[in-house]
Amino acid sequence: MTTSTETFSTPNYVLLNGKTRISPTVLPMRSGRACKALYGFSDKAPYETFRASSETPLTPFPLVKVYLRTLIETGPDDLHLVILDATGPDDATLHAATTESILESHLNQATAVNAEYVLTFDSQANGYRVQEI
């Protein structure tokens, strides 16, 4: 575990494939706790970078407080993460914050959020492993 904290701009957008928010495959945590994540983007430049490296046609959509609350309420035992400004769907390492932190950032109109988790791609398991920072 590392003690350094990285700060990212607060995500304001997600990308949709049709009507579905895109997300990476996240492996269950070692504790057995389920983890779900979605890609979040702070502005147009980061999501355009991601879109350019994806073969799937993706559409930006605002990341809204109601949706964040719904995620928290529908799976209170699961860890819900928002990936912070990923550059593409094949990134080896991703930074993320909890949905609760992103919601709080939106409610407080904060421009930045701390990364709380690192997701590292495991090619053997074909998914991301989650580690708390």
Side-chain angles (χ1 to χ4, degrees):
M1 188 193 297
T2 179
T3 57
S4 66
T5 302
E6 290 191 57
T7 302
F8 291 80
S9 295
T10 299
N12 295 303
Y13 302 93
V14 293
L15 289 174
L16 302 179
N17 179 3
K19 293 187 179 195
T20 305
R21 289 163 183 86
I22 62 165
S23 59
T25 300
V26 180
L27 303 169
M29 299 179 74
R30 296 198 192 286
S31 65
R33 185 179 186 194
C35 180
K36 298 174 183 172
L38 68 125
Y39 290 106
F41 302 93
S42 58
D43 206 347
K44 183 177 180 175
Y47 72 66
E48 288 295 346
T49 299
F50 188 98
R51 284 173 47 169
S53 66
S54 174
E55 294 180 16
T56 306
L58 302 170
T59 307
F61 190 79
L63 181 59
V64 295
K65 293 175 225 157
V66 172
Y67 178 69
L68 293 170
R69 282 189 190 106
T70 301
L71 283 176
I72 295 166
E73 292 168 1
T74 58
D77 295 331
D78 297 339
L79 177 62
H80 294 277
L81 300 176
V82 177
I83 306 299
L84 304 167
D85 286 338
T87 58
D90 298 321
D91 287 355
T93 303
L94 303 168
H95 290 86
T98 62
T99 303
E100 292 87 352
S101 293
I102 302 301
L103 176 60
E104 183 178 321
S105 186
H106 278 257
L107 292 172
N108 294 327
Q109 298 178 343
T111 59
V113 65
N114 290 331
E116 300 168 88
Y117 292 86
V118 172
L119 288 77
T120 307
F121 190 73
D122 181 333
S123 58
Q124 291 181 330
N126 199 31
Y128 285 91
R129 297 210 179 271
V130 179
Q131 180 180 2
E132 189 171 4
I133 295 178

